[in-house]
Structure formats: C-alpha cells, structure tokens
Amino acid sequence: MTARPRRSILYMPGANPRALEKARQLAADGLIIDLEDSVAPDAKGLAREQALSAIAEGGYGHRELILRINGADTPWAVADMEALGSAEVLPDAVLLPKVSSATEVKAALAALDGAGVARELPVWLMAETPRCILNINEVAGADPRVAALVLGTSDLAKDTRVRHTPDRLGFIATLNLCVLAGRAHGLAVIDGVALDLEDQAALEASCSQGRDLGFDGKSLIHPKQIEAANAAFGPSSAEVAAAREVMAAFEEAEAAGKGVVVVKGRLVEALHVEEARHTLALAEAIADLS
C-alpha cells in the first residue's frame, strides 16, 4: 500500500512571485497556486504567466502543485485553460472552483480537453457552494479524473450565512457529507481553512477536528499554519507503534493458520489490519519527505 501525504495544502497567490519562491522551502505537503480569489482582476494575466513559469522552473521537491484556475463563468477561464494546454510543464493537478453539479464538472473537463490539456492531468474540485454540497455524491463521481475535494468553507459561510464558530457546528453536516462522498469515490478530501492567524489554539482544534472527521489534511492560508496541520494529520508515534503491533500479530496468526487475532485483549479484524497498513504507509511516506 502507498500513501501520499496531504496533511498541509497551502494557498499561494499566483500574482506574488516572492511567495512562489518562498514556497520552495516550506514544509507543506502541497501548494494550491491560485489564479482565482487571491488575484485581483487586473493581475489575472500576470498571475497566470508567473504561476506557470514557477511550475516550469520547478524546485518544489516533493510538494504537490495544484493550479486553481478561474471559474467557467468568468472572463479568465478560457485563457487559463489555453495556457495550461500550451504549457510545457503541467502542475500535478488543476483545481476547479465553484462547481455545483456533475454537469458543470463534465463541462469544465470538456473545455479543458478542447484547450488541449492532457487528459491524464488529475482534477481537484472546490466544494464551496450550497448546490455543490447538496449534489456532492454526483459531483465527486462525475469523472475518473476527479482526484480530490477541497472544502471552501469561507464561500459556504457567505452563501449559507453559517457563522464561523470554534466548534464549526454549522458546517458539520457539510463536512460529513464531503468526507462520505470522497471516500465513496476514492478521493482525497481536504478540510477548509482556519481564518484567524493569531489564534493558535483554535487552529490546532480545527486541525484535530478535521482529522477526527476523516479528512486527509487541511487547506491553509499562511505558512505559520503548516506545523499544526502536519502534526494533526500525520500519525503519532503511538499510532505507528500500535499499527505495527496489529500487523505483527496478524502476520503471526496468519502463518499459524489462525483465524482470530487478539492484540492486548482486543479482537483484530480485517478492517483493523487495513487501517494499520494505511497508517504505516502514511508514516513511511512522511518519513521519506525528510
């Protein structure tokens, strides 16, 4: 089993060359190089050029590079797709914002095909509109190229009038639905951002909550948030040790032809073995990063 760490996915504005340069040294597992919300209308062309140039230049090491383009209903979407279609070096994935139905996802993919973007390029989707959440199962399964869902809780808060509270109570149903849809279709699922850059305790609580809800990692708006996300979404030393115990006991029982495995008084079933394998694969992948 292999696993790709996606504990920390940091938004980077495509219009900021200093940020794009600094990102090469950050401990984030992935970078969303943004052409959409963080870029002013009069800077869209420059951001597109700088983002694709940075991707082509490389030097980002293990970091997964995701290019968020502008939405299909904006004046910049076609130019973004055409630039991707002619790019010599592609990002690891393209992130589509503001999709609300499987039909919209398929239309965007058809537009990417028409612009000459390689069909093997994975597609990530922003889950950030009320219609998207209501249609999330169909959205997540719209096409085999879809590889991940990214929660856009700020846009959802605006559209639903749900308030940002420490317990995120108003978002729980949305978060649960996205994790369920993601797992049903074999996708990575990335939690939404924490907006208060001065409240470290709130950030850590949000990361822990996202992990407990089943997310693979968290989207971030500042490098100072990376450490908390990496800590929360990576397996702890105790979890790794427990996974090794489970695997050792399972392999011993299997060699002896036993159908029942007990570890420290607890019955171990096939699902626990699968969880242990995933934990160890993720821990190994994280260790390889350093």
Side-chain angles (χ1 to χ4, degrees):
M1 177 182 288
T2 58
R4 181 158 195 173
R6 292 186 171 108
R7 302 164 296 170
S8 50
I9 307 294
L10 178 65
Y11 285 102
M12 304 298 297
N16 187 335
R18 290 183 59 193
L20 295 175
E21 176 62 32
K22 182 180 179 181
R24 292 183 169 92
Q25 308 301 323
L26 297 176
D29 290 338
L31 305 169
I32 295 175
I33 301 177
D34 190 27
L35 304 182
E36 195 215 14
D37 282 350
S38 68
V39 179
D42 60 357
K44 295 289 187 181
L46 177 62
R48 184 185 307 121
E49 179 182 338
Q50 290 180 165
L52 290 173
S53 176
I55 292 168
E57 185 179 343
Y60 289 95
H62 68 270
R63 298 162 192 85
E64 196 168 10
L65 301 181
I66 305 98
L67 183 70
R68 182 165 73 169
I69 63 174
N70 289 280
D73 61 346
T74 70
W76 311 286
V78 171
D80 289 347
M81 293 183 182
E82 290 177 345
L84 262 178
S86 61
E88 293 184 7
V89 180
L90 290 173
D92 294 300
V94 58
L95 176 57
L96 303 179
K98 307 294 192 296
V99 290
S100 293
S101 67
T103 299
E104 291 180 10
V105 174
K106 291 174 181 177
L109 292 176
L112 286 169
D113 293 341
V117 179
R119 290 183 63 85
E120 58 267 24
L121 180 67
V123 172
W124 291 24
L125 305 175
M126 293 295 305
E128 57 183 345
T129 72
R131 284 184 56 230
C132 180
I133 302 308
L134 292 174
N135 296 324
I136 194 63
N137 183 50
E138 291 78 12
V139 167
D143 190 274
R145 280 175 280 183
V146 177
L149 300 175
V150 182
L151 270 290
T153 45
S154 294
D155 278 280
L156 281 166
K158 173 182 67 70
D159 289 345
T160 61
R161 301 180 197 139
V162 169
R163 296 188 178 187
H164 292 284
T165 58
D167 59 8
R168 297 202 293 177
L169 182 61
F171 291 108
I172 293 299
T174 290
L175 301 177
N176 288 155
L177 284 170
C178 288
V179 169
L180 287 169
R183 296 293 170 247
H185 294 281
L187 313 183
V189 194
I190 308 301
D191 197 1
V193 301
L195 296 172
D196 191 340
L197 295 178
E198 301 305 319
D199 193 336
Q200 183 67 18
L203 169 64
E204 292 173 0
S206 181
C207 288
S208 296
Q209 183 194 48
R211 174 201 62 208
D212 293 347
L213 288 172
F215 286 93
D216 295 291
K218 192 164 185 67
S219 51
L220 311 172
I221 58 173
H222 194 280
K224 68 193 294 185
Q225 298 176 317
I226 294 172
E227 184 177 0
N230 283 350
F233 289 97
S236 67
S237 57
E239 288 169 333
V240 171
R244 286 178 177 151
E245 284 186 344
V246 167
M247 292 305 303
F250 171 75
E251 290 165 2
E252 182 180 340
E254 192 176 48
K258 296 179 180 178
V260 177
V261 182
V262 178
V263 177
K264 294 182 177 178
R266 297 184 63 183
L267 183 66
V268 173
E269 300 180 286
L271 63 94
H272 302 116
V273 175
E274 183 179 348
E275 289 173 349
R277 284 200 180 106
H278 174 75
T279 296
L280 295 176
L282 183 58
E284 182 179 353
I286 291 170
D288 287 344
L289 299 182
S290 58

